[in-house]
Amino acid sequence: MKVTVLVENTSSEDLKGEHGLSLHIEHNGKDYLIDTGKSGLYLENANKIGVDLSNVNTAFLSHAHYDHSGGFNEFFNINSKASVYLQESCRDKYYYKIKGPIKKYIGIPKGILEQYDNRFEYLEGFKEIDDGVFICPHSTDGLNARGKRTNMYSKVNGELLVDDFSHEQTVVFEENEELYLFNSCSHGGVENIIEEIKEIFPNKEIKAFFGGFHMMGARGVNSCVFSQKEVENTAKTILKSSNATFYTGHCTGNVASKWLKEVLKDRFVQLQTGKVVDF
């Protein structure tokens, strides 16, 4: 199994980064794509490092935000075969509420779902996609409390509601009785996601977790929504609940990353555009 970071907030000298995330995965002889960043930059990077996205067999959208879905035009232009799996509630509109009635649209670029309707496969619930490849939406109750705290909302049938992250899903790859988890932003809480996966796969070991922890300031600055104590408690919880190594970045935030690293130590690995992880 091989994971390549096609785009992330940070980058090396030869590649460019942006606020977003896109991952390419090679597993059991097939190619997979998780998210497309916020533009076509991930495709430029893929071409530079020799990853041919026309070979992707299956793609996934982790959740319905622009910084993970902005590059689908470019993907569909070069790949005519891969279906994109996403949750049914990705059809709703998503917003960040700045203050009072003022809100900013942060959902999938408008028109994409309609223009490429034949390429998207909508799901409601758990599904095995391929041998050893699973989609797992949230099963934890009360996640709208996290939506309220982070000022995230959805518009359903014209009504603005606190986001409960029903549009977010974890993609799980199984190899040699071990699990590899991919949840690009973990809006529902990484600690909750781990427990959700353990409930579905009670006798499997979680080897790795890829994705941001959504602990940065909502306006993109390096200040945390969560306190240092809360970040450290999250790190301690996930240390106890699994033996996974955590490959994180994007929306985790610099401040939270520092605090997480202090607790997780060598089980904390910083993602970067162009990073390759072989298992």
Side-chain angles (χ1 to χ4, degrees):
M1 183 174 179
K2 180 179 178 181
V3 181
T4 303
V5 183
L6 301 181
V7 82
E8 202 265 341
N9 297 29
T10 58
S11 64
S12 63
E13 294 180 1
D14 298 329
L15 302 174
K16 296 179 181 178
E18 67 179 10
H19 179 74
L21 191 64
S22 179
L23 304 172
H24 178 263
I25 300 163
E26 298 173 41
H27 172 74
N28 284 347
K30 292 185 177 181
D31 287 19
Y32 299 87
L33 180 70
I34 298 180
D35 296 350
T36 62
K38 73 173 183 178
S39 72
L41 182 58
Y42 76 104
L43 181 56
E44 293 181 28
N45 290 333
N47 290 336
K48 286 181 181 179
I49 59 180
V51 174
D52 186 356
L53 296 183
S54 68
N55 291 330
V56 168
N57 302 98
T58 303
F60 306 94
L61 177 59
S62 64
H63 62 290
H65 286 167
Y66 75 98
D67 50 333
H68 298 264
S69 58
F72 275 116
N73 271 320
E74 288 79 2
F75 179 65
F76 294 139
N77 284 339
I78 58 98
N79 184 298
S80 60
K81 64 183 180 181
S83 293
V84 180
Y85 289 90
L86 68 171
Q87 291 298 305
E88 176 68 30
S89 51
C90 284
R91 295 182 188 272
D92 297 327
K93 306 301 182 184
Y94 292 89
Y95 296 87
Y96 167 65
K97 197 169 183 180
I98 301 171
K99 59 180 179 178
I102 301 173
K103 57 186 183 296
K104 176 183 177 182
Y105 181 74
I106 58 171
I108 298 170
K110 295 177 181 179
I112 291 289
L113 298 183
E114 293 78 13
Q115 182 178 355
Y116 300 102
D117 182 62
N118 64 322
R119 301 296 299 274
F120 290 103
E121 296 285 344
Y122 296 92
L123 304 175
E124 289 185 279
F126 172 88
K127 184 176 179 63
E128 183 173 4
I129 301 299
D130 281 329
D131 184 27
V133 183
F134 310 88
I135 290 178
C136 308
H138 286 303
S139 58
T140 304
D141 293 329
L143 292 183
N144 53 353
R146 296 181 72 96
K148 185 175 182 180
R149 182 173 186 179
T150 53
N151 296 314
M152 290 189 169
Y153 290 79
S154 61
K155 184 174 282 188
V156 182
N157 297 322
E159 183 180 1
L160 197 65
L161 305 173
V162 176
D163 197 345
D164 63 359
F165 305 115
S166 60
H167 57 104
E168 186 170 67
Q169 60 187 16
T170 301
V171 183
V172 177
F173 290 81
E174 181 181 357
E175 192 166 276
N176 299 323
E177 299 296 312
E178 295 175 325
L179 304 177
Y180 300 80
L181 279 52
F182 296 82
N183 186 307
S184 295
C185 280
S186 312
H187 292 99
V190 63
E191 68 278 18
N192 293 325
I193 293 165
I194 288 174
E195 292 305 315
E196 291 169 354
I197 301 306
K198 287 169 65 176
E199 185 174 344
I200 298 171
F201 304 94
N203 299 315
K204 307 291 184 181
E205 181 178 355
I206 299 174
K207 180 74 172 179
F209 185 105
F210 284 81
F213 282 20
H214 199 69
M215 290 177 166
M216 68 184 295
R219 293 178 178 82
V221 297
N222 294 329
S223 61
C224 285
V225 173
F226 301 92
S227 69
Q228 180 173 357
K229 183 177 181 180
E230 288 172 309
V231 173
E232 291 175 346
N233 284 343
T234 295
K236 291 173 183 177
T237 297
I238 60 179
L239 270 179
K240 293 178 181 178
S241 63
S242 80
N243 293 316
T245 297
F246 296 88
Y247 298 82
T248 189
H250 177 45
C251 60
T252 301
N254 292 345
V255 175
S257 291
K258 177 185 176 183
W259 295 336
L260 289 166
K261 176 71 173 176
E262 290 173 353
V263 178
L264 297 174
K265 301 187 184 305
D266 60 351
R267 286 171 59 185
F268 176 98
V269 179
Q270 182 70 49
L271 291 177
Q272 185 182 52
T273 303
K275 186 176 184 62
V276 177
V277 183
D278 277 300
F279 294 102

